[in-house]
Amino acid sequence: MNLLTIEGLFVHFGGVVAVDNVSFDVRQGEILGLIGPNGSGKTTVLNLLSGFLAPHAGKVRMRDEDVTAMSPDRLAQRGVLRMFQMTRVFTRMSAFDNLLTAGMARGLSEAESNRRAQALVEELTLGPVQYLDAGQLSGGQRKLLEFGMCFIEPPLVAMLDEPFAAVHPVMREVMAQFIRARHAQGFTFLLVSHDMPIVVDLCQRAVCMNAGRVIAAGDIHSVLKNHDVIEAYLGNGDAQSGPDDLPSLEVH
Ligand SMILES: Nc1ncnc2c1ncn2[C@@H]1O[C@H](COP(=O)(O)OP(=O)(O)O)[C@@H](O)[C@H]1O
Ligand SMILES: [Mg+2]
């Protein structure tokens, strides 16, 4: 069953067409990868789907409801959350209190927020730093804290934009495990990531964009083997998606 149906999204910034007639579905309960070289339009798609940007053309439906250009707040009420959108880490408040506050801001009781915050601290391996001010956490620990704050009341569909970038591999695995556990409970993810091994590991399906367009969509392995996808990565000389990424594009 489709949770989101995206039809013909189009947006330009002046003369730059960032998203060009993009259509794809996000199925209930899947982890869908959104991949493609830098500048291909992935972040802009997330902005469109989470209400931070209105398309010049096209439609987004959530189940049977038209949610095109709906505000981030109204989308969040429906369970569509772009990670980090709700998150304001208070740097002079402890990590634990940040979690507690996030829970209460989402309408949970203090007792329930407390219970969930304790479980999240454990799961996210933040125990040793839970009473430090959030401002003292490392970048990776802070990202873990942001995961906890977003998921203290799990969204139906979470959109993550490069969550693993510049995060220590140990914490990356904590994040991946966190996503797997929520997926096992039936939650849906749209994951933008350059980290191909993690995408292959987590995602059943993927959509690949290049220059604003969808160039391949479907089963992750078939997408990565797709000629146009390989060409898009090969043809792009930037540091993040250049030749260094190619070995990880190989499918076993
Ligand atoms: N606010 C903006 N103003 C002007 N151009 C933008 C803006 N946001 C994105 N772009 C352009 O749109 C294209 C797609 O960008 P983006 O969605 O960030 O790609 P990705 O996330 O795949 O790297 C790029 O050419 C980028 O320069
Ligand atoms: Mg981006």
Side-chain angles (χ1 to χ4, degrees):
M1 186 176 66
N2 287 345
L3 186 58
L4 297 175
T5 307
I6 295 138
E7 283 171 3
L9 285 184
F10 179 88
V11 77
H12 63 90
F13 299 105
V16 177
V17 175
V19 170
D20 191 0
N21 196 23
V22 163
S23 302
F24 63 91
D25 300 324
V26 181
R27 297 180 188 161
Q28 175 91 45
E30 75 174 342
I31 305 176
L32 179 67
L34 180 58
I35 63 173
N38 266 351
S40 55
K42 306 179 299 294
T43 295
T44 307
V45 166
L46 289 200
N47 285 337
L48 291 168
L49 298 182
S50 54
F52 284 88
L53 193 66
H56 293 113
K59 268 199 164 48
V60 182
R61 268 186 298 130
M62 181 174 189
R63 300 203 177 104
D64 290 326
E65 186 183 20
D66 187 341
V67 296
T68 316
M70 201 173 260
S71 72
D73 282 355
R74 289 179 67 201
L75 283 166
Q77 283 164 9
R78 284 162 177 75
V80 180
L81 191 75
R82 175 167 178 193
M83 201 178 129
F84 308 135
Q85 90 184 43
M86 296 283 285
T87 321
R88 292 286 176 269
V89 172
F90 297 107
T91 53
R92 288 198 278 175
M93 196 185 261
S94 74
F96 186 86
D97 284 348
N98 267 284
L99 286 167
L100 199 59
T101 308
M104 290 166 71
R106 303 276 280 280
L108 303 176
S109 68
E110 186 173 352
E112 180 63 13
S113 299
N114 201 59
R115 197 186 62 74
R116 292 192 193 183
Q118 282 181 30
L120 284 165
V121 157
E122 184 87 5
E123 183 180 358
L124 293 166
T125 67
L126 291 172
V129 297
Q130 63 179 310
Y131 300 119
L132 292 183
D133 282 354
Q136 290 177 274
L137 304 188
S138 71
Q141 287 168 333
R142 197 165 149 155
K143 269 200 181 157
L144 289 174
L145 176 60
E146 289 179 308
F147 261 90
M149 291 171 72
C150 283
F151 284 87
I152 195 146
E153 176 72 336
L156 282 182
V157 51
M159 304 189 186
L160 313 180
D161 197 356
E162 305 280 3
F164 308 107
V167 171
H168 187 280
V170 170
M171 291 183 197
R172 214 180 288 165
E173 185 47 36
V174 173
M175 282 181 195
Q177 193 52 43
F178 188 88
I179 293 170
R180 279 185 207 108
R182 301 296 174 292
H183 174 238
Q185 292 169 354
F187 293 103
T188 307
F189 290 84
L190 180 55
L191 173 66
V192 171
S193 180
H194 266 97
D195 191 322
M196 289 303 167
I198 288 195
V199 170
V200 173
D201 180 31
L202 289 177
C203 300
Q204 301 77 49
R205 295 199 311 133
V207 170
C208 182
M209 292 181 67
N210 189 33
R213 298 197 175 145
V214 172
I215 57 168
D219 162 72
I220 179 77
H221 294 287
S222 64
V223 167
L224 293 187
K225 270 190 269 194
N226 181 289
H227 177 78
D228 293 339
V229 172
I230 293 168
E231 190 119 294
Y233 275 89
L234 269 173
N236 190 295
D238 67 56
Q240 271 193 302
S241 53
D244 285 353
D245 271 4
L246 285 176
S248 55
L249 273 175
E250 284 169 16
V251 179
H252 307 288

